[in-house]
Amino acid sequence: MNDQPTSFATPTPGLSRATLLRNAIEGAELAFLMEAHSGLSAKIVEEAGFGGIWASGLSISASLGLRDSNEASWTQVLDVLEYMSDATTLPILVDGDTGYGNFNNVRRLVRKLGERNIAGVCIEDKLFPKTNSFIGEEQPLADIGEFCGRITAGKDSQTSDDFVIVARVEALISSRPMEEALRRAEAYHAAGADAILIHSKKADGKEIFEFCRRWGNRAPVVIVPTTYYPIPTDQFREANISTVIWANHLMRASITAMRETAKTIHAEQSLMNIEGRVIPVKEVFRLMGNAELEEAEKRYLPETPRPRAVVLAASGGDLGELTRDRPKCMIDVRGQSLLARQVATFADTGIRDVTVVRGFAKDAVALKGIKTVDNDRFAETGEVFSLAQAADVLSGEVVVSYGDVLFRNYILESLLSSKADIVLAVDATPREGKAVRDLVLADHAFSGSYLDEAPAHLTRMGSDLGAAVSGEWVGLARFSAAGAGWLRDEIAALDAEGLLETADLPLLLSRIAAKHPVRVKYFTGHWMDVNTLADVADARNFT
């Protein structure tokens, strides 16, 4: 393997991409362009160490699910090129097919490429719409004079003096004699082409070397050794070839990888044998520059505190073997613990600071990304005492939740969007036939009418409301910064009165409601708590 650097290796800072491409093509060293067809593949080419990109027409068409026969319009290709240009700092040489028409189309194409910081374009001397060079034999070629007009029109329209136009000679591909290939190359060079791409599909490469010998380096020669890949690269150097294009291999490699991955997942109905063979999602985020976005957010966005959550999960529960050595919050529901599902719901609504109050089998409460505090007296104390252990995080906007409840995202989102200082999620259809402790009495009943916008507020909460009940608290509450202050004050008041160890949340919230407005938001269903084995079975169907 030859380790000589390409002429892209040490670009001078401040040079335009067009200048970098021109310097490489006209330089003494052999340069290499690697195919890309998207913003992501352009990033991969740059990270691999290449100094320039070949924006392949075949690859771009294939990535769009189209044939390489100008089925993708030039404006659609231009959109892809803009993403590629934005994603990389490398110069891009575009496979411009035939120029998408006559001289007028080429003029407009070159201007638009310049606007998108594209370094150059390669156009081939075939008819529009084009057919891929490797399909069929003896494809018709453009009239030499007409094609020269396309080249001259492109040069007259470039916005940078260093913009590169490469003329691709298809004579050998179309089974024409070497003399015609040379005659066309000379005419295109005289018309203003900066380089000549000589194309051949013969596997031995003899046509390429004969052309280079007879051409005599009158202008830089570019090649695409897709069919004659076994030829050692040093032979290209010896032939004074300017630039080698690796034309479509990232696209072809991606098809191989995607096909194998899809077949495996379809056959095995599992990701078990796939996850270790593909890059982690965090690597995708790195490639896409998520770290830069986070830094930009710090510079440009005002500092706004994000809500946090406290999950009360100290109790053990009574679910037989399921809770023998772990608390309810850690029982498995379709491959995830209750707590993991809850934390995922918080994350979906922007809450990533989650503190869990542990107690029974506390070492079993382990989940990446959470914080924990402990109520080691869980067996003799109640929920408010557990909540008091998290006093340090009861500031700013905070959500308090039971550890054994599941709820739809929209319920939490509705609480977070409320302007009330304290808001409770209440099911307007309380369960019957169960010892429900968290019954709610509000000053305004649920009407079910979209025209009824009168807000409801908590009057009292408990298990002894009788027929006056307005609904059932689902175990989810949101507090603003002011509301969190009222919460801390009431916890302190219960402590001063000697009630902290035995108080439950219905008592705490009822006491706060006697002093401050506590908003009630009504819902109907779309949540559940897990208290029995039957609930565990139902939870498996809760998605």
Side-chain angles (χ1 to χ4, degrees):
M1 179 178 178
N2 192 298
D3 59 359
Q4 293 183 50
T6 73
S7 51
F8 286 109
T10 54
T12 304
L15 295 183
S16 71
R17 298 193 208 190
T19 303
L20 291 174
L21 180 63
R22 176 171 292 277
N23 289 349
I25 287 178
E26 294 179 350
E29 297 173 359
L30 182 62
F32 298 91
L33 298 176
M34 183 67 203
E35 171 262 323
H37 51 274
S38 64
L40 175 59
S41 57
K43 285 177 176 286
I44 290 171
V45 169
E46 185 165 23
E47 286 201 348
F50 285 96
I53 292 172
W54 168 251
S56 162
L58 169 62
S59 297
I60 292 173
S61 296
S63 70
L64 297 174
L66 300 174
R67 288 173 286 243
D68 187 25
S69 299
N70 292 132
E71 290 185 356
S73 70
W74 75 274
T75 55
Q76 289 174 313
V77 172
L78 201 63
D79 285 340
V80 175
L81 293 173
E82 184 168 8
Y83 285 115
M84 292 173 62
S85 180
D86 288 346
T88 180
T89 61
L90 298 183
I92 298 174
L93 176 64
V94 175
D95 179 1
D97 292 339
T98 63
Y100 302 97
N102 66 9
F103 74 93
N104 195 41
N105 301 86
V106 173
R107 290 195 301 183
R108 184 163 172 78
L109 173 66
V110 168
R111 287 198 300 269
K112 292 301 179 182
L113 292 176
E115 291 173 3
R116 285 155 179 80
N117 208 11
I118 302 298
V121 66
C122 175
I123 57 175
E124 60 192 79
D125 57 353
K126 290 196 298 196
L127 304 180
F128 178 84
K130 60 87 60 88
T131 301
N132 187 278
S133 299
F134 296 109
I135 297 175
E137 302 290 339
E138 299 185 5
Q139 295 179 13
L141 300 181
D143 175 81
I144 293 177
E146 187 275 333
F147 189 73
C148 286
R150 293 187 226 171
I151 295 170
T152 303
K155 294 304 293 181
D156 288 345
S157 303
Q158 63 190 36
T159 56
S160 165
D161 289 341
D162 284 334
F163 185 86
V164 174
I165 292 185
V166 178
R168 173 165 152 175
V169 177
E170 292 285 290
L172 302 179
I173 286 284
S174 298
S175 305
R176 307 294 179 87
M178 182 63 66
E179 285 68 22
E180 181 165 355
L182 290 163
R183 182 163 61 91
R184 284 177 174 267
E186 181 59 44
Y188 303 159
H189 177 44
D194 299 294
I196 300 298
L197 191 160
I198 185 64
H199 210 13
S200 170
K201 53 186 175 185
K202 297 289 182 63
D204 57 14
K206 291 181 179 178
E207 288 182 330
I208 297 297
F209 293 122
E210 181 183 351
F211 177 90
C212 290
R213 180 178 58 79
R214 295 178 63 178
W215 178 247
N217 207 25
R218 280 172 273 174
V221 174
V222 181
I223 63 169
V224 184
T226 303
T227 54
Y228 47 95
Y229 60 88
I231 294 175
T233 302
D234 274 345
Q235 291 188 26
F236 301 147
R237 292 189 173 92
E238 292 168 4
N240 289 319
I241 288 167
S242 157
T243 305
V244 173
I245 293 175
W246 311 120
N248 48 47
H249 293 80
L250 289 190
M251 179 270 291
R252 290 162 58 192
S254 70
I255 291 175
T256 300
M258 288 191 291
R259 180 177 285 160
E260 291 177 355
T261 300
K263 287 175 64 176
T264 300
I265 294 174
H266 180 266
E268 299 180 0
Q269 298 183 2
S270 169
L271 300 177
M272 184 63 68
N273 293 319
I274 289 297
E275 277 298 329
R277 291 159 45 189
V278 298
I279 65 167
V281 174
K282 66 180 181 181
E283 173 64 6
V284 179
F285 294 155
R286 185 195 67 78
L287 275 170
M288 295 302 100
N290 280 43
E292 188 280 333
L293 178 59
E294 291 177 4
E295 288 301 315
E297 286 177 347
K298 294 176 184 177
R299 291 196 303 273
Y300 303 125
L301 291 179
E303 194 80 27
T304 55
R306 295 188 175 183
R308 58 185 67 174
V310 175
V311 179
L312 302 177
S315 63
D318 186 14
L319 298 175
E321 281 299 306
L322 289 179
T323 52
R324 182 174 60 84
D325 55 4
R326 57 183 169 179
K328 266 196 300 185
C329 71
M330 295 305 295
I331 63 174
D332 184 271
V333 178
R334 293 181 69 178
Q336 273 191 311
S337 67
L338 281 174
L339 181 60
R341 292 174 65 124
Q342 208 177 62
V343 168
T345 301
F346 286 135
D348 286 344
T349 53
I351 300 176
R352 292 177 173 80
D353 185 345
V354 180
T355 298
V356 179
V357 182
R358 306 183 301 181
F360 173 74
K362 64 183 182 182
D363 291 339
V365 182
L367 191 66
K368 185 177 180 180
I370 66 169
K371 302 172 184 176
T372 59
V373 295
D374 297 333
N375 176 10
D376 292 325
R377 298 177 57 200
F378 64 92
E380 60 192 81
T381 58
E383 300 153 349
V384 179
F385 189 82
S386 287
L387 185 59
Q389 308 315 301
D392 289 345
V393 296
L394 296 180
S395 60
E397 185 177 14
V398 62
V399 171
V400 175
S401 172
Y402 287 147
D404 59 356
V405 295
L406 298 174
F407 42 84
R408 297 273 195 266
N409 290 26
Y410 83 91
I411 295 178
L412 179 55
E413 289 169 352
S414 181
L415 299 191
L416 292 170
S417 66
S418 174
K419 295 182 180 180
D421 288 308
I422 301 178
V423 58
L424 311 180
V426 174
D427 191 332
T429 56
R431 294 168 293 177
E432 298 179 357
K434 293 187 178 182
V436 179
R437 182 197 60 172
D438 298 328
L439 296 177
V440 168
L441 175 64
D443 61 3
H444 184 77
F446 176 68
S447 70
S449 171
Y450 289 107
L451 299 177
D452 184 2
E453 298 180 355
H457 292 88
L458 178 67
T459 300
R460 189 165 69 87
M461 189 184 299
S463 59
D464 57 346
L465 301 183
V469 65
S470 303
E472 178 183 355
W473 183 45
V474 306
L476 186 66
R478 173 238 166 221
F479 301 81
S480 70
W486 299 340
L487 179 64
R488 294 193 306 273
D489 291 345
E490 202 57 42
I491 291 174
L494 286 168
D495 190 20
E497 297 170 27
L499 301 174
L500 180 63
E501 295 184 357
T502 57
D504 57 18
L505 284 182
L507 173 62
L508 175 65
L509 293 170
S510 295
R511 285 175 57 120
I512 294 174
K515 302 174 183 177
H516 307 284
V518 176
R519 177 74 189 277
V520 166
K521 293 272 289 207
Y522 287 117
F523 303 90
T524 54
H526 297 166
W527 73 283
M528 68 173 300
D529 60 2
V530 180
N531 288 317
T532 66
L533 290 175
D535 292 337
V536 174
D538 290 341
R540 294 192 176 100
N541 297 319
F542 187 93
T543 56

